[in-house]
DNA sequence: GCGCGGGGTATACAATCGTCTACCGGCACA
DNA sequence: TGTGCCGGTAGACGATTGTATACCCCGCGC
């Protein structure tokens, strides 16, 4: 698996790897590959299991860190408070994801490639992992902050959108080191815009005074 | 180019195509390839130029269609009116993109694959095209609707985010035909949430009454 | 009338590929 | 004490690949 990652980091595609190639890199006989994996998909899934678990676990853990925990408040009805928490949480989570991708540069790039890649198996595995992260995020958010009137079903939709958008932000972050601060800012802002929209959309009375009504899509 | 597209639609990756393979499919001699393209990147860019122009042009054209034009109002200061327009425009544009990807299924899938693919050249070409679409969208939006207080710089940020998110929505749309109505709804809702957030964030007086203030990121 | 170059072809080359069959050492376990 | 099997090896197979060299024909411009 290490050999495959090293090769993919330069060749930059798992599917395009030859099994002889990785065997050579690993200093093993080509046939030995079959002793461990039946497919290249098999290898890919195994790698994703490792790295994916690390990312997902890391995200959860860091969401529970002091910095985040400091914002844990019990049920609060003040929307402004909720928004302030959302901001802090967004900043924490964005920083965390971007740190992770910097720490696992090659693995991350290779992984993202598989997200729209050739193998249906890998595509599904990647999607499932992103979905899992979105689920985690929803759960954590529900526990940590109360966005007034925003329920689970709505929150997970938002979480999915955030996770997917972070794929792009992360790629930019890796590929344009000079713009990293700016990108981080944009990502945070994007998330807040969504929360802001979600809160406002569910507070009809709040904006009704101005003649505004969120369209019922 | 047709041969390459046909092959990529089944093999589903441009980079993984062999030049002998496409030559065979095209009924030509392998070496003939070199008479037209020096690289596979070269071929890819040529294909993207064709299809990309069609998508981009189609989008602009359909944004100017009667259905969209009906919503063209001159400078209006009523935010509610702006939001209603935004909704109609979002619906029109989403429908348009999703129609296009349905009409160019294979080409679209192949293209998206290159967005995070192996070749730096193709990646850049794809990014540039998406950026172009975002620019178009910004321009059109500025012409058609006035979101109070939302300026060009802010709008293009939103446009970029929308375009990228539509990449995912489109893939879902293609791969889960049974959920198409739902996906279309989600996409529209996502866009509205953004606009909603943008409007609200720029109307401090509007929500200040409720003690809300959009954080200054 | 001639040259030349653009599009197309034929053949050949060395590499690499995935897979098949067969062999082997060691460890677990009966 | 023996027997399986797990991880690793060796060699060979036919297929396919990218590219190099060389030949070809048609049409256009001088």
């Amino acid at each position: 698996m290490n050999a495959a990652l090293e090769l993919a980091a330069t060749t930059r595609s798992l599917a395009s790897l030859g099994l002889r190639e990785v065997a050579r890199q690993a200093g093993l006989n080509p046939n030995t590959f079959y002793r461990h994996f039946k497919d290249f998909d098999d290898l890919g899934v195994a790698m994703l299991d490792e790295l994916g678990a690390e990312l997902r676990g890391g995200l959860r853990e860091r969401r529970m860190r002091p910095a985040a925990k400091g914002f844990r408040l019990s049920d609060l009805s003040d929307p402004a408070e909720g928004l302030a928490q959302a901001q802090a949480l967004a900043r924490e989570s964005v920083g965390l994801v971007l740190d992770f991708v910097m720490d696992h540069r090659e693995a991350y790039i290779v992984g993202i490639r598989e997200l729209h890649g050739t193998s249906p198996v890998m595509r599904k595995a990647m999607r499932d992992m992103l979905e899992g992260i979105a689920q985690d995020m929803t759960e954590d958010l529900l526990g940590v902050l109360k966005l007034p009137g925003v329920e689970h079903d709505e929150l997970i939709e938002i979480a999915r959108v955030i996770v997917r958008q972070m794929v792009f932000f992360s790629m930019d972050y890796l590929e344009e080191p000079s713009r990293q601060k700016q990108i981080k800012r944009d990502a945070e802002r994007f998330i807040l815009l969504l929360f802001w929209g979600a809160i406002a959309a569910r507070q009809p009375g709040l904006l009704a005074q101005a003649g505004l009504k969120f369209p019922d899509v």
Side-chain angles (χ1 to χ4, degrees), chain A:
Chain A
M1 289 166 58
N2 290 338
L5 182 54
E6 288 163 21
L7 277 183
T10 62
T11 307
R12 299 188 78 173
S13 159
L14 265 190
S16 75
L17 255 57
L19 105 183
R20 284 187 115 106
E21 202 180 357
V22 301
R24 206 180 308 134
Q25 172 85 10
L28 291 179
N29 191 282
N31 283 320
T32 310
F33 179 89
Y34 292 120
R35 308 286 186 192
H36 303 266
F37 312 101
K38 76 181 235 294
D39 258 346
F40 254 66
D41 281 347
D42 207 12
L43 198 176
V45 171
M47 292 174 65
L48 181 56
D49 280 354
E50 266 196 9
L51 273 298
E54 186 177 341
L55 170 58
R56 207 170 149 180
L59 277 167
R60 295 218 85 161
E61 182 197 346
R62 275 189 59 173
R63 264 200 291 264
M64 297 300 155
R65 270 174 25 163
K69 263 196 168 154
F71 298 99
R72 173 186 296 277
L73 297 181
S74 51
D75 182 20
L76 78 165
S77 50
D78 182 1
E81 203 60 44
L83 203 60
Q85 281 187 71
Q87 179 175 19
L89 254 174
R91 174 158 296 153
E92 178 76 9
S93 293
V94 166
L96 169 104
V97 171
L98 295 183
D99 283 356
F100 178 88
V101 301
M102 282 296 274
D103 284 349
H104 301 76
R105 224 199 137 76
E106 315 83 6
Y108 182 76
I109 293 181
V110 172
I112 293 306
R113 197 175 310 285
E114 300 303 320
L115 183 56
H116 293 131
T118 304
S119 150
V121 178
M122 283 302 287
R123 282 207 303 274
K124 172 152 178 27
M126 283 298 288
R127 268 155 210 260
D128 288 353
M129 198 211 48
L130 292 189
E131 172 70 14
I133 291 180
Q135 302 264 8
D136 289 352
M137 188 187 298
T138 307
E139 215 175 280
D140 291 348
L141 286 183
L142 280 176
V144 170
L145 59 84
K146 296 276 181 221
L147 296 177
V150 181
E151 302 302 334
H152 182 278
D153 283 356
E154 205 181 341
L155 202 52
I156 196 170
E157 258 188 64
I158 295 179
R160 287 199 190 100
V161 161
I162 290 176
V163 167
R164 291 175 160 200
Q165 198 71 38
M166 284 308 292
V167 169
F168 283 100
F169 280 126
S170 300
M171 289 301 291
D172 290 347
Y173 196 77
L174 286 181
E175 295 187 350
E176 304 175 73
S178 64
R179 284 188 59 245
Q180 290 192 343
K181 254 194 310 189
Q182 168 78 16
I183 292 170
K184 186 180 284 193
R185 234 185 46 97
D186 289 351
E188 289 168 11
R189 177 165 178 79
F190 165 73
I191 294 174
L192 283 180
L193 229 51
L194 279 182
F195 281 140
W196 187 238
I199 291 184
R202 286 304 156 137
Q203 299 251 321
L206 207 68
L207 296 174
Q209 311 158 5
L212 280 177
K213 180 180 172 304
F214 193 75
D216 199 23
V217 238

